Amino acid sequence: MILELDCGNSFLKWRLFSGDGRCILPVHVADGLEALRAQLQQSRASVSFVRMVSVRADEETEEISAAISRLLDCPVALALPSMELAGVSNGYLDYQRLGMDRWLAIVAAYNVAREACLVIDLGTAVTVDWIDAEGRHLGGYICPGIPSLRQQLQSHTQRIRYDPGHGGSLGDLSPGRSTAEAVERGCLLMLRAYIESQVARAVQVLGKDAAIYVTGGDGALVDGLASVRHVPDLVFRGLALACPVEV
């Protein structure tokens, strides 16, 4: 089996695939290396190949890679920055500075669409990347996501203290009648307006047929937006292109 591992800023996400491309275990989330070890041992999976992407510091990435290699007794292929991959050219002035999770999502989206596309990743940060019909990455934007906006308010205002779980449903955008509702819905409306403006600009610049892909843990932010395709595993799809199985 193949283990796919995404080492994000906050969590370690992983899933298992068979050699013929069937998903054996859907995405699991671990909050650290020890939790990941425990989950993998509990799965009792016979893994022969690991592919991994990481946005963490080099030292921590190497620690995770070595630990997984020892635990599973198999090689770990690490996705690395590149100027070009699977028909997509990196648009950063210094291609090595583009986050690997963004790069893999960009590559995956273009390989799915084969046309101009917009890639929106909704996580701790919100990233937006533009790709033209020839597979050229035109650059992108980064802004705080819901967790970051919430943390900023709680860190810099003395009276905003609340449990985020009391913010109510993401689908309810009526004025908040508690601090939790007011903050959660205010942040949601701010980000939805930002995403809508990005989609509108992409249609103008890339063309009305441009594909709009959304990934990341806060994908519910775009529920109900027309023409948006929610693809939770874009980074994993790009990882498969960056690290094909060794024969």
Side-chain angles (χ1 to χ4, degrees), residues 41-60:
Q41 289 173 330
Q42 188 176 17
S43 74
R44 300 180 182 275
S46 177
V47 175
S48 58
F49 183 71
V50 180
R51 51 190 172 218
M52 170 176 154
V53 58
S54 176
V55 298
R56 302 192 176 196
D58 291 344
E59 183 177 341
E60 188 174 2

Side-chain angles (χ1 to χ4, degrees), residues 24-37:
I24 302 299
L25 275 181
V27 176
H28 285 58
V29 178
D31 60 7
L33 182 54
E34 291 307 315
L36 176 62
R37 280 199 189 101

Side-chain angles (χ1 to χ4, degrees), residues 83-91 101-120 129-138 206 209-215 229 231 233-239 241:
M83 294 183 66
E84 188 170 349
L85 176 62
V88 182
S89 59
N90 193 315
D101 52 349
R102 285 176 65 192
W103 176 230
L104 295 184
I106 289 164
V107 170
Y110 182 76
N111 275 267
V112 171
R114 288 296 174 183
E115 61 184 355
C117 52
L118 189 72
V119 181
I120 303 169
D129 286 285
W130 297 45
I131 306 96
D132 70 13
E134 284 70 47
R136 292 186 292 255
H137 174 226
L138 304 179
L206 300 175
D209 295 325
I212 314 295
Y213 292 106
V214 169
T215 192
R229 310 177 199 179
V231 186
D233 64 344
L234 265 183
V235 173
F236 281 127
R237 293 190 189 198
L239 180 58
L241 294 169

Side-chain angles (χ1 to χ4, degrees), residues 99-219:
M100 280 304 303
D101 52 349
R102 285 176 65 192
W103 176 230
L104 295 184
I106 289 164
V107 170
Y110 182 76
N111 275 267
V112 171
R114 288 296 174 183
E115 61 184 355
C117 52
L118 189 72
V119 181
I120 303 169
D121 191 336
L122 300 166
T124 304
V126 172
T127 62
V128 180
D129 286 285
W130 297 45
I131 306 96
D132 70 13
E134 284 70 47
R136 292 186 292 255
H137 174 226
L138 304 179
Y141 304 88
I142 303 174
C143 75
I146 289 283
S148 299
L149 291 173
R150 181 191 298 135
Q151 183 179 27
Q152 284 296 308
L153 280 171
Q154 292 181 329
S155 298
H156 297 287
T157 51
Q158 294 184 2
R159 291 184 177 274
I160 293 185
R161 298 289 184 272
Y162 70 97
D163 179 355
H166 295 159
S169 168
L170 282 176
D172 186 353
L173 297 179
S174 59
R177 301 186 67 186
S178 67
T179 298
E181 290 180 353
V183 171
E184 295 296 308
R185 295 174 191 180
C187 292
L188 173 60
L189 281 170
M190 181 186 296
L191 282 182
R192 281 179 67 96
Y194 171 68
I195 293 165
E196 288 170 351
S197 72
Q198 286 286 332
V199 171
R201 288 192 63 217
V203 169
Q204 292 176 351
V205 176
L206 300 175
K208 62 181 178 61
D209 295 325
I212 314 295
Y213 292 106
V214 169
T215 192
D218 283 331

